Amino acid sequence: MELLVHSGDEYVESFEPESLAILTYAKLAKVPISTTSSCLPWRTPSGQFPVLRHGDTVVQKDIFNYFKSQGYSLDDVLTAKQTAEAFTYKTSVRDALHKALLYSRWLDADNYSNFTRKWYGNKLPFPLTIFLPHMKHRSIQSKLRNQCTPDLTPEAFHNLIIASARECLNALSIILGEQLYFFGDKPSSLDAVVYGYLENLIQYKLPGNNSLQGHVYCCNNLLQFCQRIRNQFYPHCKTGSSGAGDELAVSNWKPALWVSVATTTALLLFQMYRVSLSPSQPRKPNNDSDLENYIQ
């Protein structure tokens, strides 16, 4: 089985929480997989990560259940009641924490300009560094704002997202208590999902609004939960950025930007030079149809 996940860095194995959740599930369940990573959306059928390939089978929507069908299930140890609870909790995490992560990374102007855009800028090849982060920003912006009701201002919508995420974190902290995992001494799919989202939330000190991370740091058992899994399965990942996430994002940004500008300028000058050497000039448009072709 081959798993394609979103790229990560020295702080998280994957910058995309669902990718990290699937990776963690595979490690907890000892699924024999080979893993590759990428930031390029066209590497996947739908433009979303992660994607599992097993022979001629391509799975993206429900990888957990596919692992279970292949004999790698973490939830077989759960009772029927616990299975239902795990489903409810996973749904809550994927709704509340997912929205909060998207908002903080892509809609908070300071975080987007000084962290997220630069993070992707360091990961993508030229010329994708110029337009792909902007395209993703517009897409996520549109997606979240479509969920905002007309009676809510952008500020009120943001406050609602943060409040929902805090409630989710409080509930997770209460459920976990002093246990190793959410249902006792053995892990479940819920542990994998929670880790995927929490790790992406706590590992970067964002330059803008980052109040949700501060809330997680008040839930000491959630921090210890993440640390245990990180130490066991991702010992190469650094613990907490303490601002290093900003350093990572900024480190190569200026050189990459200057290279992009210089290359683009050179290409434009070359094209202008070729046009200047052309012996013939395009005829002027005589009507609207000609004008459209002339512009193209």
Side-chain angles (χ1 to χ4, degrees):
M1 286 184 275
E2 300 176 358
L3 183 65
L4 175 63
V5 298
H6 191 286
S7 300
D9 56 28
E10 59 193 294
Y11 297 100
V12 292
E13 195 72 7
S14 175
F15 197 65
E16 197 276 323
E18 279 299 319
S19 289
L20 187 55
I22 296 296
L23 272 172
T24 304
Y25 183 104
K27 290 180 179 295
L28 289 168
K30 298 179 180 179
V31 184
I33 59 171
S34 60
T35 306
T36 55
S37 62
S38 175
C39 289
L40 304 176
W42 49 83
R43 290 283 305 276
T44 74
S46 66
Q48 303 295 319
F49 296 91
V51 176
L52 180 71
R53 291 181 171 88
H54 189 199
D56 295 331
T57 303
V58 178
V59 186
Q60 187 164 10
K61 289 293 186 181
D62 205 348
I63 297 177
F64 283 169
N65 277 345
Y66 188 80
F67 283 157
K68 182 177 180 180
S69 71
Q70 300 301 305
Y72 301 99
S73 176
L74 289 176
D75 294 345
D76 286 348
V77 297
L78 303 181
T79 65
K81 181 175 181 293
Q82 288 174 330
T83 301
E85 290 173 346
F87 176 82
T88 302
Y89 300 148
K90 285 186 290 185
T91 301
S92 178
V93 168
R94 283 170 167 153
D95 179 55
L97 297 190
H98 184 63
K99 285 181 182 176
L101 270 172
L102 288 180
Y103 197 103
S104 65
R105 286 179 175 179
W106 294 95
L107 266 66
D108 183 282
D110 197 3
N111 290 339
Y112 171 68
S113 297
N114 296 307
F115 178 77
T116 310
R117 186 178 64 184
K118 297 177 182 180
W119 190 96
Y120 277 94
N122 280 335
K123 293 291 180 179
L124 296 167
F126 175 82
L128 300 181
T129 54
I130 298 175
F131 64 85
L132 196 57
H134 177 69
M135 290 173 60
K136 188 165 184 175
H137 172 246
R138 292 288 299 272
S139 174
I140 292 174
Q141 187 179 55
S142 175
K143 178 181 178 181
L144 284 180
R145 286 181 175 173
N146 285 340
Q147 299 177 28
C148 178
T149 57
D151 59 312
L152 286 178
T153 65
E155 182 180 1
F157 182 54
H158 170 251
N159 292 338
L160 184 64
I161 289 176
I162 297 301
S164 178
R166 284 177 175 169
E167 289 178 2
C168 179
L169 291 170
N170 290 340
L172 291 173
S173 182
I174 293 171
I175 295 163
L176 179 61
E178 297 181 358
Q179 303 176 111
L180 286 177
Y181 299 105
F182 282 91
F183 292 107
D185 295 334
K186 294 184 178 180
S188 68
S189 60
L190 174 61
D191 297 282
V193 171
V194 171
Y195 178 78
Y197 282 86
L198 284 186
E199 191 75 345
N200 270 280
L201 189 59
I202 67 177
Q203 282 291 78
Y204 300 107
K205 184 180 178 182
L206 301 178
N209 190 317
N210 204 21
S211 61
L212 201 57
Q213 185 186 71
H215 190 80
V216 181
Y217 273 88
C218 294
C219 305
N220 191 53
N221 61 341
L222 294 181
L223 292 177
Q224 292 176 349
F225 166 81
C226 288
Q227 186 175 11
R228 285 194 298 269
I229 294 180
R230 187 188 316 123
N231 291 343
Q232 182 176 1
F233 297 115
Y234 309 105
H236 54 282
C237 289
K238 294 181 180 180
T239 302
S241 67
S242 298
D246 298 48
E247 295 169 7
L248 169 70
V250 174
S251 59
N252 296 321
W253 172 247
K254 289 185 178 179
L257 177 61
W258 281 112
V259 169
S260 298
V261 172
T263 305
T264 304
T265 303
L267 289 172
L268 287 172
L269 289 174
F270 177 70
Q271 184 64 23
M272 291 170 64
Y273 176 71
R274 288 183 60 193
V275 171
S276 69
L277 294 180
S278 176
S280 60
Q281 297 295 327
R283 66 181 180 85
K284 294 183 179 180
N286 296 321
N287 51 50
D288 290 343
S289 177
D290 279 355
L291 177 61
E292 182 177 341
N293 293 329
Y294 186 80
I295 294 173
Q296 293 176 348

